[in-house]
Amino acid sequence: MVVVLELDGDDAFDPYARPKGLDHSAVTIRPKEAQTQPSQRPNPNINNFSKSLGCYPIVTQLTQYIDLNTLHALSRTCRQFRANLLQYRTRLVQQTLHCGNESTPGPFGDHYSRRSVLVSGRVSPCARDMVSDCRRCGRIICRNCAHKPPSASLLRQRHRRLCSKCLATPLPQLSRHWQDPCTCDSSVYLCAPCGTGLNVADTNYLRIWTWRTRYSTYLGGLGTGVGEGNEGVKCWRGEKCVAAQEVEVEIDCSEEGRTSDRESSESSDSERQHWPEGEGKEERAGYWQQEIEGIGGVVKKKIRKRVKMGKTVKEWEDERDGKDEVLGREARGEGRSWCGWCGRVVWGEKDQKAFGGVPELQRGL
């Protein structure tokens, strides 16, 4: 190891100029003019995007759509990105994506200014490091306001069967989120209203198939005609089904909900009879409204309305015989289905082959 020191003058005292045991007589120090300057390597990270990160109006607009984790990952991409973002660090941290509940006043003072939420047995303010939109309704929530995801054992129950028309329709025409399909098998990010009652909805949907199998005429049941005409299991997309059609349904309504049901009933079919309106006039019973006397002499009202319902889905023979579980093909990923949790399409084998890979790799299409 050789120590080379450059002094300003001869009279400057430096105790390390000639330490003991070292002989610098063999070291030749070249003048600065004679030293060859190494060639500078071009910076490959200087491009239009890196220049835009150095522009304050552009980078502030970009920061409003990302959280702190994404901003940190962006700064660690390369040194050029970090240098451009570091000069606006204080402002950018304050302008990152906020939780939708952060604007509500709460017991945490003006710093957090939000209502209290119960997370893992404790009350915690809104977080800023992990903020994203709900996979179902699109509301911006943080990790503290997100609903606790269901257990992994319940993933197979989230599938909903689609009709033949929805299965044959191309993905771009079926859903506007076809490039970002269901990813509940890897991560479930839902808000509290959307995440409440998922287990109950899954159980009710499976009970429909159980009732259909037990009382079907195919098994010599009671002859209820399940699976015939309009009595089968409908496509889960409902009125958004490709082959949706209008059918008449009967709804029991109370005295308080009569007005709202009447308005929705009239708007669904313009050709039906209009109920008389006006102060002091009583609504007359007819085809679209009937009065039924119930238990104890209670008079109830029943209305008929035309609503759009999905097409009846297909039931496989092995499911009727009990050789295969209900919705087994959808759970194994053999066919396209609909997720009952996030409300997005679940790719099947044909969709993965057509678009080349698993759905997680297709988000950047």
Side-chain angles (χ1 to χ4, degrees):
M1 178 178 180
V2 179
V3 179
V4 179
L5 299 176
E6 183 178 358
L7 304 179
D8 296 334
D10 297 338
D11 55 348
F13 174 77
D14 191 349
Y16 303 98
R18 188 177 296 274
K20 285 186 177 182
L22 295 179
D23 187 9
H24 299 279
S25 58
V27 179
T28 304
I29 302 178
R30 299 179 181 179
K32 292 184 179 181
E33 295 77 11
Q35 295 180 1
T36 58
Q37 297 292 338
S39 59
Q40 295 183 357
R41 182 176 64 88
N43 190 357
N45 298 321
I46 298 179
N47 47 35
N48 294 332
F49 183 71
S50 63
K51 294 179 181 179
S52 63
L53 293 180
C55 182
Y56 181 75
I58 298 178
V59 72
T60 51
Q61 294 295 326
L62 177 63
T63 311
Q64 296 178 5
Y65 297 95
I66 59 178
D67 55 357
L68 287 179
N69 287 345
T70 308
L71 181 62
H72 177 66
L74 180 62
S75 64
R76 297 188 60 182
T77 304
C78 61
R79 294 183 178 180
Q80 187 64 39
F81 287 10
R82 179 178 176 82
N84 294 344
L85 296 174
L86 193 60
Q87 53 184 341
Y88 311 121
R89 178 184 180 278
T90 305
R91 291 293 184 89
L92 296 182
V93 170
Q94 300 175 357
Q95 296 177 1
T96 52
L97 194 62
H98 291 207
C99 178
N101 297 329
E102 192 170 348
S103 58
T104 306
F108 298 97
D110 298 334
H111 180 67
Y112 294 107
S113 180
R114 65 172 302 276
R115 62 179 178 85
S116 60
V117 292
L118 190 62
V119 181
S120 302
R122 65 183 181 87
V123 176
S124 176
C126 282
R128 299 288 297 276
D129 55 347
M130 186 176 179
V131 183
S132 182
D133 54 340
C134 176
R135 295 285 295 174
R136 187 165 187 172
C137 64
R139 184 185 180 187
I140 305 299
I141 55 174
C142 65
R143 56 180 174 85
N144 291 340
C145 298
H147 191 269
K148 183 179 179 180
S151 60
S153 60
L154 302 177
L155 285 174
R156 299 175 62 88
Q157 301 181 8
R158 80 184 194 279
H159 296 277
R160 305 291 188 266
R161 182 161 293 179
L162 301 177
C163 64
S164 58
K165 292 293 184 179
C166 293
L167 292 176
T169 304
L171 282 178
Q173 302 178 11
L174 184 66
S175 174
R176 61 188 182 93
H177 297 291
W178 70 275
Q179 294 181 346
D180 191 9
C182 172
T183 56
C184 293
D185 53 350
S186 58
S187 62
V188 181
Y189 200 79
L190 300 174
C191 61
C194 296
T196 304
L198 295 180
N199 298 339
V200 178
D202 296 343
T203 304
N204 293 338
Y205 186 74
L206 293 177
R207 285 178 179 177
I208 297 176
W209 289 96
T210 305
W211 180 85
R212 180 180 180 179
T213 303
R214 289 184 178 181
Y215 297 99
S216 176
T217 56
Y218 180 84
L219 298 177
L222 301 179
T224 53
V226 179
E228 302 175 0
N230 294 330
E231 299 299 330
V233 180
K234 305 302 179 182
C235 179
W236 183 256
R237 300 189 70 224
E239 60 182 9
K240 296 182 180 180
C241 176
V242 180
Q245 55 185 351
E246 286 189 356
V247 296
E248 291 185 6
V249 296
E250 295 182 353
I251 301 177
D252 294 333
C253 62
S254 59
E255 189 70 19
E256 292 77 12
R258 178 178 54 188
T259 305
S260 61
D261 291 337
R262 182 188 63 185
E263 294 176 354
S264 61
S265 178
E266 291 177 353
S267 61
S268 62
D269 189 8
S270 59
E271 297 181 356
R272 70 182 56 187
Q273 299 176 356
H274 293 277
W275 292 337
E277 296 181 359
E279 187 176 358
K281 295 183 179 181
E282 296 182 358
E283 298 176 352
R284 296 174 297 181
Y287 179 77
W288 299 105
Q289 176 179 344
Q290 299 175 1
E291 294 182 355
I292 302 175
E293 184 176 355
I295 301 176
V298 180
V299 178
K300 297 183 178 180
K301 293 184 179 295
K302 178 180 291 186
I303 65 171
R304 293 185 180 183
K305 57 187 300 186
R306 298 184 64 89
V307 296
K308 275 191 173 183
M309 300 185 65
K311 184 182 177 182
T312 304
V313 300
K314 182 179 180 181
E315 183 179 5
W316 301 92
E317 297 294 334
D318 52 0
E319 295 180 354
R320 287 187 173 184
D321 298 337
K323 299 179 181 179
D324 192 8
E325 61 177 343
V326 178
L327 303 175
R329 289 173 173 81
E330 288 78 4
R332 293 189 296 268
E334 299 177 1
R336 183 189 302 175
S337 62
W338 202 262
C339 180
W341 294 357
C342 63
R344 298 171 184 257
V345 62
V346 182
W347 285 8
E349 292 181 354
K350 295 183 179 179
D351 300 329
Q352 295 183 10
K353 293 180 181 179
F355 295 98
V358 295
E360 288 79 0
L361 302 179
Q362 303 299 326
R363 294 185 179 181
L365 291 177

